[in-house]
Amino acid sequence: QVQLVESGGGLVQPGGSLRLSCAASGSVSRFNAMGWYRQAPGKQRELVAAIASDGRTNYADSVKGRFTVSGDNAKNTVDLQMSDLKPEDSAVYYCFAEYYITDYWGQGTQVTVSS
């Protein structure tokens, strides 16, 4: 079994920064990729950023230049540094870890950007 535990969400003003962290534990020693999705009320879950085990990254167009994803293969952790946050970034952020055809998910952490 695999468990993903997220931390770092909260309330921040527009233009502010937050850092999300996720740690995976369990039966998988190394994932193919890890990253973050988000889901706002009434919207579909969308990919925010991902990092593959070889270090390649992928970002949603809406967060390019503002968010940075980083990972540690040895520790099975993934972080998301978010800067210049906007109200439209408000959502529940979910950590995910991909192992071949199986995706594992965290419980989600709320990010609210509001003045």
Side-chain angles (χ1 to χ4, degrees):
Q1 298 298 325
V2 173
Q3 287 188 323
L4 276 65
V5 179
E6 301 131 333
S7 61
L11 173 65
V12 64
Q13 292 187 342
S17 299
L18 276 177
R19 187 177 185 89
L20 304 182
S21 296
C22 174
S25 60
S27 57
V28 176
S29 60
R30 181 165 174 158
F31 295 97
N32 302 119
M34 296 183 74
W36 298 87
Y37 275 72
R38 67 186 180 188
Q39 187 167 22
K43 295 188 177 181
Q44 289 189 330
R45 189 175 294 193
E46 63 173 353
L47 176 67
V48 177
I51 182 166
S53 57
D54 63 3
R56 289 176 298 163
T57 58
N58 184 32
Y59 293 93
D61 287 342
S62 61
V63 307
K64 285 180 181 177
R66 300 188 297 122
F67 291 11
T68 301
V69 64
S70 58
D72 186 327
N73 289 332
K75 297 180 179 179
N76 278 340
T77 60
V78 62
D79 292 340
L80 184 68
Q81 178 65 47
M82 304 183 291
S83 301
D84 190 22
L85 283 159
K86 303 176 181 181
E88 51 264 42
D89 294 316
S90 297
V92 178
Y93 284 69
Y94 296 91
C95 173
F96 80 94
E98 177 189 287
Y99 185 68
Y100 294 101
I101 64 170
T102 302
D103 289 336
Y104 300 94
W105 295 92
Q107 79 283 359
T109 186
Q110 178 71 46
V111 172
T112 302
V113 184
S114 175
S115 56

